[in-house]
Amino acid sequence: MSMQKAVDNNRSSNAGLSMDNQEKLLADALQNVRQHAFAMKRVLDQQSVMEGLKHAANMLGELRTSLLSPKNYYELHVVVVEELHHLELYLTDEFEHGRGSHDLYEVVQYAGNIVPRLYLLITIGHVYIRANELPRREVLRDLVEMCRGVQHPLRGLFLRNYLLQCVKSLLPDTEEENQEASKTGTILDSLDFILLNFSEMNKLWVRMQYQGHTRDLQRREQERRELRILVGTNLVRLSELECVNVERYKTIVLPKIMEQVVSCRDSIAQEYLMECIIQVFPDEYHLNTLNEFLKACRELSASVNIRNILISLIDRLTAYSTRDGSQQNIPENIQLFDIFSEQIAEVVKSRINMPPEDIVALQSALLNLSLKCYRDQFEYGNKVLENTRKIFDNIALDTQVQTGTPAAKELVKMLKIPIDCYDILDVLKLNHYKLVLQLLSYRERHTVCMYIINSILDKETIIPTAEQVTQLFELLLTLIIDQTDSALETSRQTITNEDFVEEQNLVARLYNNFQAPNDPDQQYHIIKICQDTFKNGGLERMRFTYPPIIMQAYALTFRYKNIREQDEKWEKKCQKLFQLCNQLINTLTKLETNDLPLRLYLQGALAASEIGSENAETIAYEFFSQAYTLYEEQAGDTRAQSASLTLLIGTLEKVTCFAEENHSTLRQSLTQAATRLVKRPDQVRTLLLCTHLFWSAQRLNESTQKSEQVHDNEKVLACLKKATKLTTQIMDQSVQVQLYNELLNTYIYFFNQNLPDIDITLLNSLIEKLQNEMSKISSNENDEFIRNQIQKTFDYLRQQSQLEKFQGLQINN
Amino acid sequence: MLVLVLGDLHIPYRVSGLPHEFRKLLTPGRIQHILCTGNLCTKETVDYLKTLTADVHIVRGDFDDNPNFVDQKVVTVGQFRIGLCHGHQIVPWGDIESLSMLQRQMDVDILITGHTHKFEAFERDNKFFINPGSATGAFNSLNSSTTPSFVLMDIQQASLTLYVYQLINEKFTVERLEYRKA
């Protein structure tokens, strides 16, 4: 084509690139194609080969256009190839029936225009080879050379693609020539063919970059990317050849491909093709050509994104090496770590403008390789972490990586890799891990720490020694103590901040995984370490972190008791633990709510009682009275007070280590406290609970050193009478009746316990009273419920009245 | 109708989480109701239960951080009135007579309580008493060896099948009990 025509075509192609115009052009072209195809098929039906070829040539003429965008050209191409297939089938059929024309290959060379000519040559050549009309080797060589005639990038690419697809099954894939048919060619010829086709296609593809105006550069690059698969198909075809082995790949295939990739100096081509090579050829080949491949990487153009290529390769080889769970796929002599470590260093050195996030991404891939391929050799992973830290130290010493930057994101990704690969006990062996963690700003450190804790909890990893706990705390410091670079003001680190609560609860949960199952002394050590660490976190954090320590300390006293035969110091150790808990709970009382400290003290009293060590009574009494003091401070919150008192009573009923003196003091205090509650119904109900303190509660008999039940019937009755009296003072009749019912039930309880002075007569009088009171209340819904409750009591009594014990019970129906 | 009954988890005060054998079993969409005896103790665990089903009933345990949970609840499933209470409010703790009193007061067919960290299921005067134990096997001063346990009730009209899931010496066991309402 003359220069002028080329320019004209370009201009008109720009004009033709508006959407509507393109649609119309394509539609017109397709219509023409179909018309010619129809004509072709019609004359072929009449056995007119020459006429058929003429129509085919006309049809193929549509592919000469410069006006269509690559996408639309592709659509046209698909239809044309489909129609061309008919011609191919016809000719093949003719040959199969011995009617084939032998000179078509020559004849077609006289077709007027080169594009139709070449398509026809390829089609016929294909048929002739299959029919053994022409020697395969010669024809293939011929065709791949002749395609040079089309130098227009778009047309050339599609033409050569058609060539490749056509000869797909014809490419010789044998070591030696086929003896029967002559000149069939060998694998070497196929390699020549494809490699030449590939080279030429790549050249055309690169040339597209420079076609047209600079202002359309972005569009052209996009169009180029759309066509990349056409070039890549050559590489795929190469990988499908069976006679290509490692040796051939190394000596023939790869060098030729690399030559083209490096020399074309086009970054789009280089990026795509390097990636394509990695994906298309087996990992075994890559292992054997690492040096060659990496050398070529170094020679790539400066704007190529080498990071992704290297990472792609490293990741593939990492996956290959650990396939099937074994680490034996890599031969001994290939030290992957060293090779890539060096390579990355080279790349980083040579590309001075490489952004830090790319460097980190490369280090991440290398870390991944180290942890997966050299699983038990921590020095590799450590080395990578150390180098990463060094890189940033060289940029700016003692400076944090700014939050939210790509570099920060890559560092976070990097730090997650060991957490995912190993359990935390192994991660702690990577002593340079914290060096990299320290590079990050508050927000990213926070993210990593949360990730670490969640990983430990999900994997249910136990951390069994104080030393490991200490090491872990070094990593998690961001969550444990106030950070100088935290964006949060201290006022936001309270229970009103949901995120803060979530985070601290996570730390609390983690604490429970610090367990030394067979070594109570080690457990004690852990407790001390944690207390020392957590106390620096401020009261708002201690609210969350202290309770689990305290509960674990109580549990530890039981473990010491279990080994008392082997450890003569067990009682002293328990004492120390209780003292520690006392101290910790005391700190917690500074928080505005007394609920938790109170309950923790009561748990301590219970534990001391059950342990029964030498100072158990003193400790239990101390804890109990502390709880009582806290209770008194709750005056003003009636609901909380009532709940706390109930708990105090329930606990005392179970604590068995108090001698009479202490027990008596406590019994009295709680009973009096019950009468001092603000609301009458609370007073009554709590008094009813207190009755048990005088009955089933146990105190220590100092002479026998055994616990006995109090069984003080007088006091029980006194409580009941007091409760009854208070009930009479209630104004709300419904509530009053309900309480009479509860009173009756309590009397029945003690009647069943054979308390002296509670007899059938007493029960009968209570029943009568209740029946009277019942008639006074209304019949609204709430009162119906109360009535029902009373009925249930009466039903129960009726049932019991069958028993001998209940003889004489007057319960009418 | 499947009803999950569990409680006394004590997360994070005494344990770090539910045993993974239990977590694997408890998947969303299979349970219609959850009855929780309390002592979860934090919102995180409440939210977790709500992912299993929408109908979650919780009563107040002595260590729950939410002061607004009620002390007692009655829920009707099938033909059963079910009462729910943590149990630390019942003195003496775990006393059968006192529990019977509570059952009468609440007028329920089934009374579910916790606090002792010990699984129990028995019938008394044709009323049923269930304690699902501690789902995490949390430490308890009065019960030196706590086994992680929870209960699944399958209620069809007037019949109740109880499935008890326990982790005994790290072995996962399931037991089945049946009751019928008179």
Side-chain angles (χ1 to χ4, degrees):
Chain A
M1 231 184 280
S2 73
M3 270 305 280
Q4 187 55 40
K5 209 162 179 204
V7 170
D8 284 345
N9 273 335
N10 273 337
R11 232 184 253 139
S12 54
S13 75
N14 282 339
L17 276 165
S18 67
M19 270 284 269
D20 298 337
N21 217 333
Q22 280 286 301
E23 264 182 49
K24 184 168 190 316
L25 285 169
L26 179 62
D28 286 345
L30 285 172
Q31 194 181 32
N32 290 339
V33 164
R34 298 234 187 262
Q35 278 174 353
H36 292 304
F38 182 74
M40 174 185 81
K41 282 183 266 198
R42 202 182 48 203
V43 300
L44 287 180
D45 283 344
Q46 295 158 10
Q47 316 285 0
S48 290
V49 174
M50 298 309 296
E51 289 296 311
L53 289 178
K54 275 211 196 88
H55 287 296
N58 287 335
M59 175 181 78
L60 290 164
E62 292 299 322
L63 287 178
R64 294 176 57 213
T65 179
S66 309
L67 300 175
L68 290 175
S69 71
K71 256 207 204 99
N72 290 328
Y73 190 91
Y74 169 72
E75 284 212 40
L76 181 61
H77 187 258
V78 166
V79 175
V80 168
V81 166
E82 212 183 295
E83 302 293 356
L84 210 47
H85 196 52
H86 286 289
L87 176 63
E88 188 194 313
L89 285 176
Y90 172 79
L91 293 173
T92 308
D93 198 56
E94 290 291 286
F95 271 98
E96 275 176 11
H97 291 101
R99 292 192 302 262
S101 330
H102 305 282
D103 53 355
L104 293 180
Y105 194 78
E106 288 297 323
V107 161
V108 142
Q109 303 210 25
Y110 294 104
N113 294 303
I114 189 163
V115 169
R117 181 159 75 236
L118 288 173
Y119 273 96
L120 286 174
L121 268 170
I122 294 171
T123 313
I124 293 171
H126 177 217
V127 173
Y128 273 29
I129 292 173
R130 284 233 299 269
N132 285 317
E133 276 290 306
L134 287 175
R136 180 188 338 205
R137 202 156 147 246
E138 313 282 333
V139 175
L140 288 178
R141 204 181 289 168
D142 220 20
L143 290 172
V144 78
E145 288 284 344
M146 278 199 278
C147 283
R148 281 188 213 260
V150 178
Q151 285 296 314
H152 182 271
L154 189 61
R155 294 195 284 272
L157 280 172
F158 276 101
L159 175 67
R160 283 191 178 275
N161 184 255
Y162 177 66
L163 171 63
L164 190 64
Q165 303 290 32
C166 252
V167 307
K168 193 168 173 156
S169 51
L170 296 178
L171 289 171
D173 197 358
T174 52
E175 297 290 341
E176 284 155 10
E177 294 247 32
N178 187 337
Q179 298 297 352
E180 274 129 65
S182 64
K183 305 215 187 145
T184 48
T186 66
I187 181 69
L188 297 172
D189 298 300
S190 291
L191 291 181
D192 281 343
F193 179 93
I194 302 177
L195 287 167
L196 180 59
N197 199 43
F198 163 72
S199 278
E200 292 301 310
M201 283 182 83
N202 194 39
K203 286 182 198 157
L204 291 171
W205 191 38
V206 169
R207 194 176 308 151
M208 278 182 80
Q209 187 77 4
Y210 307 104
Q211 263 184 316
H213 215 280
T214 33
R215 65 164 174 263
D216 295 322
L217 184 63
Q218 219 179 10
R219 176 179 56 78
R220 273 208 305 285
E221 289 190 342
Q222 179 56 26
E223 286 176 353
R224 279 194 62 197
R225 288 199 179 86
E226 286 167 8
L227 296 171
R228 64 185 190 266
I229 190 75
L230 294 177
V231 182
T233 310
N234 290 288
L235 300 182
V236 174
R237 192 68 195 90
L238 280 169
S239 73
E240 290 167 354
L241 292 171
E242 294 206 7
C243 288
V244 172
N245 51 24
V246 177
E247 207 36 52
R248 286 214 173 96
Y249 176 79
K250 187 170 175 153
T251 51
I252 306 177
V253 175
L254 189 63
K256 271 263 171 236
I257 298 177
M258 284 308 190
E259 203 189 300
Q260 176 55 220
V261 169
V262 170
S263 64
C264 77
R265 286 207 257 266
D266 175 82
S267 50
I268 293 181
Q270 287 179 338
E271 263 181 49
Y272 170 65
L273 290 171
M274 293 300 265
E275 189 70 50
C276 198
I277 295 167
I278 296 172
Q279 300 303 335
V280 149
F281 292 103
D283 300 315
E284 203 196 345
Y285 288 16
H286 299 313
L287 274 177
N288 283 291
T289 53
L290 267 180
N291 288 323
E292 290 84 342
F293 188 92
L294 294 174
K295 179 165 173 297
C297 275
R298 288 199 284 274
E299 293 167 13
L300 295 178
S301 119
S303 53
V304 168
N305 185 339
I306 199 153
R307 157 193 155 161
N308 289 341
I309 297 171
L310 279 177
I311 291 177
S312 207
L313 185 60
I314 296 175
D315 285 346
R316 256 198 95 106
L317 293 177
T318 305
Y320 175 68
S321 82
T322 53
R323 198 164 298 159
D324 312 323
S326 74
Q327 287 176 277
Q328 273 121 30
N329 297 332
I330 314 274
E332 283 287 316
N333 57 334
I334 301 181
Q335 286 299 322
L336 279 184
F337 180 85
D338 293 328
I339 295 175
F340 280 118
S341 189
E342 260 177 59
Q343 179 61 26
I344 290 175
E346 286 285 324
V347 162
V348 170
K349 208 167 36 162
S350 65
R351 278 158 195 254
I352 38 182
N353 289 326
M354 188 178 244
E357 57 265 23
D358 282 1
I359 304 180
V360 177
L362 286 167
Q363 294 291 336
S364 287
L366 192 58
L367 183 63
N368 195 30
L369 179 102
S370 318
L371 298 182
K372 297 214 169 107
C373 298
Y374 301 90
R375 216 196 169 288
D376 301 314
Q377 294 156 276
F378 298 99
E379 64 265 26
Y380 287 107
N382 251 338
K383 194 125 210 340
V384 177
L385 291 165
E386 193 184 20
N387 283 340
T388 309
R389 174 64 192 248
K390 277 209 189 104
I391 291 168
F392 282 93
D393 281 344
N394 286 336
I395 300 177
L397 193 60
D398 282 341
T399 313
Q400 284 173 331
V401 174
Q402 209 189 2
T403 191
T405 54
K409 293 202 180 98
E410 285 297 328
L411 282 169
V412 169
K413 270 203 257 176
M414 185 178 189
L415 289 172
K416 286 184 181 174
I417 295 174
I419 309 295
D420 291 336
C421 283
Y422 290 156
D423 78 19
I424 192 70
L425 298 176
D426 283 334
V427 175
L428 292 175
K429 292 183 190 151
L430 293 169
N431 42 0
H432 290 132
Y433 186 91
K434 60 175 178 286
L435 291 180
V436 179
L437 183 57
Q438 286 161 1
L439 284 172
L440 292 169
S441 300
Y442 175 80
R443 191 148 50 104
E444 280 84 17
R445 286 202 312 277
H446 187 273
T447 306
V448 175
C449 288
M450 295 291 276
Y451 193 82
I452 292 174
I453 299 184
N454 274 313
S455 169
I456 297 173
L457 292 174
D458 285 341
K459 293 182 187 166
E460 297 189 356
T461 315
I462 302 293
I463 295 118
T465 69
E467 192 190 328
Q468 285 163 320
V469 169
T470 311
Q471 287 170 340
L472 182 58
F473 277 149
E474 278 180 353
L475 297 183
L476 298 177
L477 226 48
T478 308
L479 297 180
I480 298 174
I481 58 177
D482 282 343
Q483 301 291 295
T484 48
D485 64 338
S486 159
L488 286 176
E489 302 128 33
T490 337
S491 60
R492 290 253 296 151
Q493 287 174 359
T494 65
I495 46 169
T496 53
N497 179 352
E498 264 185 38
D499 292 332
F500 179 74
V501 171
E502 188 194 331
E503 156 200 312
Q504 291 304 312
N505 270 327
L506 214 59
V507 176
R509 282 177 63 197
L510 173 67
Y511 174 82
N512 288 296
N513 280 26
F514 298 164
Q515 293 170 22
N518 300 317
D519 191 344
D521 287 336
Q522 183 69 221
Q523 188 75 51
Y524 179 77
H525 203 23
I526 290 176
I527 289 179
K528 289 298 288 173
I529 301 267
C530 290
Q531 186 230 344
D532 280 335
T533 312
F534 289 144
K535 78 167 184 271
N536 296 323
L539 200 57
E540 285 302 325
R541 289 198 180 83
M542 288 188 245
R543 171 204 296 271
F544 296 94
T545 53
Y546 271 11
I549 300 183
I550 295 163
M551 291 312 300
Q552 199 185 72
Y554 293 151
L556 184 55
T557 60
F558 283 83
R559 280 171 65 186
Y560 273 124
K561 182 174 179 188
N562 281 340
I563 58 157
R564 61 190 179 283
E565 311 285 316
Q566 290 100 32
D567 186 349
E568 54 180 24
K569 296 209 188 100
W570 76 277
E571 282 174 315
K572 287 252 164 356
K573 291 179 181 175
C574 288
Q575 167 103 352
K576 271 172 82 177
L577 282 167
F578 282 116
Q579 275 167 344
L580 176 66
C581 290
N582 193 12
Q583 199 192 334
L584 297 177
I585 303 175
N586 196 31
T587 311
L588 289 178
T589 56
K590 299 198 191 88
L591 295 164
E592 72 285 350
T593 162
N594 279 336
D595 274 352
L596 198 53
L598 190 155
R599 282 145 177 79
L600 290 168
Y601 271 128
L602 289 178
Q603 286 290 319
L606 268 174
S609 169
E610 289 298 302
I611 293 293
S613 54
E614 57 191 5
N615 279 334
E617 193 184 353
T618 316
I619 296 168
Y621 191 82
E622 174 66 23
F623 276 46
F624 206 94
S625 55
Q626 292 276 30
Y628 186 79
T629 312
L630 290 174
Y631 157 77
E632 286 186 318
E633 288 170 12
Q634 277 180 329
D637 185 344
T638 45
R639 199 163 157 227
Q641 261 211 325
S642 176
S644 296
L645 188 53
T646 305
L647 205 52
L648 282 159
I649 295 168
T651 310
L652 183 58
E653 199 269 337
K654 289 289 185 234
V655 171
T656 58
C657 63
F658 292 133
E660 175 58 21
E661 193 182 332
N662 280 336
H663 201 266
S664 166
T665 312
L666 293 173
R667 288 194 307 257
Q668 299 288 36
S669 307
L670 294 186
T671 313
Q672 274 167 18
T675 59
R676 286 198 307 264
L677 286 172
V678 176
K679 299 193 190 152
R680 278 266 190 268
D682 288 343
Q683 291 173 353
V684 173
R685 290 193 168 105
T686 314
L687 263 177
L688 291 180
L689 294 180
C690 287
T691 53
H692 299 282
L693 295 177
F694 296 98
W695 190 251
S696 56
Q698 294 179 45
R699 47 138 156 74
L700 191 66
N701 181 325
E702 278 169 303
S703 27
T704 64
Q705 284 298 306
K706 281 200 168 37
S707 298
E708 313 169 325
Q709 292 186 314
V710 175
H711 275 216
D712 184 344
N713 27 311
E714 275 179 31
K715 286 276 164 53
V716 172
L717 275 169
C719 277
L720 289 169
K721 289 211 171 83
K722 178 88 183 161
T724 312
K725 180 156 171 249
L726 289 169
T727 310
T728 60
Q729 294 168 2
I730 292 177
M731 286 181 68
D732 183 329
Q733 298 215 294
S734 312
V735 173
Q736 196 185 46
V737 171
Q738 191 178 37
L739 286 169
Y740 276 134
N741 181 35
E742 288 172 39
L743 266 166
L744 174 59
N745 273 286
T746 313
Y747 271 103
I748 296 170
Y749 178 93
F750 284 107
F751 177 76
N752 278 325
Q753 290 281 313
N754 298 321
L755 192 88
D757 306 320
I758 299 186
D759 52 16
I760 285 289
T761 323
L762 182 54
L763 286 184
N764 283 337
S765 64
L766 290 167
I767 293 169
E768 200 185 317
K769 179 161 176 94
L770 186 53
Q771 281 167 337
N772 289 338
E773 298 296 325
M774 206 166 91
S775 58
K776 290 185 194 162
I777 57 170
S778 66
S779 45
N780 66 31
E781 196 185 304
N782 186 41
D783 295 345
E784 262 314 302
F785 180 69
I786 297 173
R787 239 186 252 279
N788 187 38
Q789 286 183 318
I790 300 170
Q791 276 309 324
K792 290 288 173 254
T793 308
F794 289 163
D795 288 344
Y796 169 72
L797 283 170
R798 262 176 229 118
Q799 215 180 31
Q800 298 296 92
S801 66
Q802 317 271 349
L803 300 169
E804 194 188 310
K805 194 183 170 97
F806 283 84
Q807 285 278 336
L809 191 70
Q810 279 160 9
I811 178 102
N812 53 2
N813 290 322
Chain B
M1 283 288 199
L2 280 183
V3 184
L4 173 64
V5 182
L6 82 176
D8 289 312
L9 279 69
H10 288 283
I11 304 171
Y13 297 138
R14 303 185 198 184
V15 293
S16 58
L18 272 174
H20 71 266
E21 290 91 336
F22 287 179
R23 265 186 292 149
K24 264 193 304 191
L25 274 182
L26 298 175
T27 50
R30 289 161 63 184
I31 300 164
Q32 279 79 53
H33 311 279
I34 294 183
L35 301 177
C36 181
T37 55
N39 275 349
L40 288 171
C41 306
T42 60
K43 182 170 175 294
E44 206 182 86
T45 311
V46 176
D47 290 342
Y48 164 71
L49 290 178
K50 291 198 174 144
T51 65
L52 298 178
T53 186
D55 194 39
V56 178
H57 301 272
I58 308 175
V59 286
R60 192 178 64 85
D62 53 332
F63 273 92
D64 279 309
D65 68 359
N66 183 337
N68 297 322
F69 290 147
V70 293
D71 277 292
Q72 292 175 5
K73 236 187 191 203
V74 177
V75 173
T76 306
V77 179
Q79 289 179 18
F80 291 92
R81 265 176 68 89
I82 307 175
L84 192 58
C85 177
H86 179 248
H88 71 271
Q89 308 94 329
I90 308 301
V91 183
W93 295 340
D95 178 59
I96 295 183
E97 286 300 334
S98 303
L99 289 176
S100 291
M101 259 168 63
L102 180 63
Q103 173 266 314
R104 287 197 297 273
Q105 264 173 10
M106 292 176 80
D107 186 23
V108 290
D109 304 304
I110 306 174
L111 179 63
I112 300 176
T113 56
H115 189 54
T116 61
H117 295 205
K118 195 163 154 224
F119 161 70
E120 298 206 60
F122 57 89
E123 192 178 332
R124 201 175 194 236
D125 302 329
N126 203 243
K127 303 293 178 192
F128 316 127
F129 295 81
I130 300 172
N131 184 332
S134 162
T136 54
F139 162 74
N140 183 316
S141 288
L142 298 173
N143 183 1
S144 49
S145 57
T146 331
T147 308
S149 65
F150 70 89
V151 161
L152 208 57
M153 300 197 297
D154 188 355
I155 297 183
Q156 305 291 343
Q157 301 303 333
S159 80
L160 161 68
T161 310
L162 214 70
Y163 296 95
V164 185
Y165 295 83
Q166 291 180 297
L167 260 185
I168 305 179
N169 294 329
E170 297 182 22
K171 250 190 69 182
F172 184 72
T173 66
V174 186
E175 231 184 279
R176 194 182 133 132
L177 303 155
E178 298 210 23
Y179 294 114
R180 253 205 114 71
K181 181 172 166 172

